[in-house]
Amino acid sequence: TKTGLLCYYNMQEEYAMLDDVSEPLSEKEYIRERIVYAQEEMRKQLEAMQVGEHEKMTVMAHNKMTNRVGLREELTPKELLSEEKVSKLVQLNKEGHNVFIGFGKETKNGYVFFDDAKRETIEQMKKDGFSFATVIESSPGNFQGWIRVDQRDGRKWEGTPESRSAVSKALAEAYPLDTGSTGKNHLGRLAGFDNMKPNRVLSDGTRFCALLEESHGHGVSANSSPKVQEILVRANHIMEEKKAQTMHKPMHIASRPRREEVYEASTIKDLDSWWSTTQKSLETKTSDRSSIDFTLCKLALMHQVPEGRIIDMLEKYSDKVREKGKYANNYIATTLNNAGRGITPAEKGKERSM
């Protein structure tokens, strides 16, 4: 219906539902209202996350029903807040895409993502000494956001994606949070856009809009409270455990059937560049990370890349491998096995069009 904005504005006092206006909104007016609202909410979220003028953020619009990615780009705040880009995101959202944001893959900062927190969890974390850079109500009564860790061991902390993920995992161990949202560079919702998940239709037929609950930009440190210090110490242990697993990784995947073909030297000269570029291309087509890893392994095997190098690439670039933790080696073995079995003689040495 065009009688009001689909966005659930009445969750905030400063925005009211427009269902009681005397004249229905035209399509053009509806889009205009959404753009203005989204731009303001996005601006406040970016400011709270202290995104630098030239820093690029990962922005993605994903349709869960079709599992298609309508947009995935690395954008500066100015590029993201442009009317052209916001208009595109509003249109994609209207068509069924959820809109997400996150830090770039190699960004170093202290922002730690958390997801699926109830209000009582948020309140408990505050009592335990945590403050939040930003909190977003992603659906009624469910919250996500970022905690900024300013210091560890008395000094400024410029966390890597891996170390931020470790803090996220430690938080999910200590509180009832989503353990599946602790991978490095996990994307969160961009405020000002409707939650288009199939089960998120409200009783009146409208959609819930991701609301910026808090945007103070506050950070925490090991000195904030004993609980915060406990979480950061646990994160250190998670990093050490991960490092130990890497040191003891098998040099050969024993469960992989031996291939009769004798591969020559790989036809890919710069494997890092090829893997990164191909992964980004695949990410524009699907958000299924297991499928992306499978395709990358299959293509690499077709190019005669040694299994050991493929394992290195998975451990370096795959969010799924990092999420698997102690089960990472099993995941890698299974993915390689399936990829190897999927190669036909005609495909050997030939890269298929994607």
Side-chain angles (χ1 to χ4, degrees):
T1 166
K2 298 178 183 177
T3 57
L5 300 185
L6 295 180
C7 199
Y8 199 42
Y9 288 164
N10 62 335
M11 293 298 291
Q12 291 185 319
E13 292 182 1
E14 63 266 34
Y15 292 100
M17 286 295 290
L18 303 182
D19 288 332
D20 57 351
V21 296
S22 56
E23 296 292 332
L25 290 173
S26 68
E27 182 76 6
K28 186 175 181 180
E29 290 170 332
Y30 163 77
I31 295 295
R32 181 72 253 165
E33 290 285 350
R34 293 305 306 264
I35 291 171
V36 171
Y37 175 73
Q39 275 181 320
E40 178 60 18
E41 293 300 284
M42 292 161 66
R43 182 190 61 77
K44 290 190 289 188
Q45 184 174 346
L46 291 170
E47 287 180 356
M49 296 168 73
Q50 297 184 356
V51 181
E53 180 182 356
H54 303 292
E55 183 176 354
K56 287 187 178 290
M57 302 290 284
T58 300
V59 181
M60 181 175 76
H62 175 250
N63 189 318
K64 190 172 182 65
M65 289 290 290
T66 63
N67 198 30
R68 300 294 294 177
V69 176
L71 176 146
R72 187 183 179 98
E73 297 180 17
E74 305 289 320
L75 302 169
T76 64
K78 183 177 181 180
E79 292 168 339
L80 176 55
L81 293 172
S82 69
E83 185 159 335
E84 177 184 3
K85 194 62 66 179
V86 178
S87 297
K88 182 175 179 65
L89 290 171
V90 166
Q91 186 60 41
L92 286 168
N93 189 219
K94 187 169 179 285
E95 293 171 0
H97 291 73
N98 290 290
V99 184
F100 302 100
I101 191 169
F103 291 97
K105 289 188 175 182
E106 302 305 322
T107 302
K108 290 187 177 182
N109 61 35
Y111 286 88
V112 175
F113 183 71
F114 67 91
D115 191 16
D116 206 17
K118 302 299 183 185
R119 187 172 292 279
E120 52 266 31
T121 303
I122 295 291
E123 295 305 319
Q124 184 59 54
M125 291 174 74
K126 287 179 179 179
K127 290 178 182 178
D128 290 342
F130 286 95
S131 55
F132 302 93
T134 181
V135 175
I136 294 168
E137 189 171 14
S138 55
S139 61
N142 291 304
F143 301 86
Q144 61 175 231
W146 284 266
I147 294 170
R148 192 183 74 242
V149 180
D150 288 333
Q151 292 185 12
R152 291 180 69 184
D153 304 323
R155 60 182 183 277
K156 184 178 179 181
W157 185 49
E158 292 185 350
T160 63
E162 291 79 10
S163 56
R164 293 197 302 270
S165 174
V167 179
S168 186
K169 284 179 168 61
L171 282 170
E173 288 178 357
Y175 298 98
L177 303 172
D178 183 11
T179 57
S181 299
T182 59
K184 73 171 193 175
N185 299 317
H186 196 90
L187 302 182
R189 289 197 176 268
L190 190 53
F193 294 93
D194 291 346
N195 187 330
M196 301 304 290
K197 285 185 176 180
N199 60 345
R200 289 294 185 260
V201 180
L202 301 174
S203 58
D204 61 359
T206 63
R207 291 279 182 175
F208 187 88
C209 183
L211 298 169
L212 200 56
E213 175 87 1
E214 295 185 24
S215 56
H216 307 304
H218 295 161
V220 299
S221 71
N223 298 324
S224 296
S225 74
K227 186 65 174 181
V228 174
Q229 186 174 31
E230 175 190 322
I231 295 296
L232 296 180
V233 169
R234 173 60 188 144
N236 274 335
H237 292 161
I238 291 173
M239 287 288 290
E240 291 168 2
E241 291 166 5
K242 170 68 175 175
K243 192 177 295 183
Q245 290 171 3
T246 302
M247 290 176 62
H248 294 93
K249 72 176 182 181
M251 296 304 292
H252 176 70
I253 302 299
S255 60
R256 172 122 195 266
R258 183 180 178 186
R259 297 178 59 82
E260 295 180 359
E261 299 88 350
V262 178
Y263 286 160
E264 299 174 358
S266 172
T267 56
I268 300 173
K269 302 306 178 186
D270 186 347
L271 185 57
D272 269 282
S273 177
W274 175 87
W275 194 284
S276 177
T277 301
T278 306
Q279 179 167 304
K280 287 178 181 177
S281 175
L282 291 168
E283 286 172 347
T284 65
K285 298 173 175 61
T286 179
S287 62
D288 186 336
R289 289 170 292 173
S290 296
S291 175
I292 290 171
D293 287 343
F294 168 82
T295 302
L296 284 164
C297 287
K298 183 173 179 179
L299 291 173
L301 288 170
M302 287 162 56
H303 280 284
Q304 298 90 49
V305 177
E307 287 184 358
R309 293 288 288 127
I310 295 175
I311 294 170
D312 290 339
M313 292 298 101
L314 285 171
E315 290 183 336
K316 184 173 183 179
Y317 290 104
S318 171
D319 288 339
K320 199 72 175 178
V321 168
R322 281 179 284 273
E323 285 183 9
K324 291 292 182 180
K326 64 181 181 180
Y327 303 109
N329 286 335
N330 290 338
Y331 171 77
I332 291 171
T334 301
T335 303
L336 269 172
N337 279 331
N338 292 339
R341 282 196 291 264
I343 299 175
T344 66
E347 288 177 325
K348 180 186 170 185
K350 295 180 180 179
E351 182 174 2
R352 295 189 304 169
S353 162
M354 293 185 295

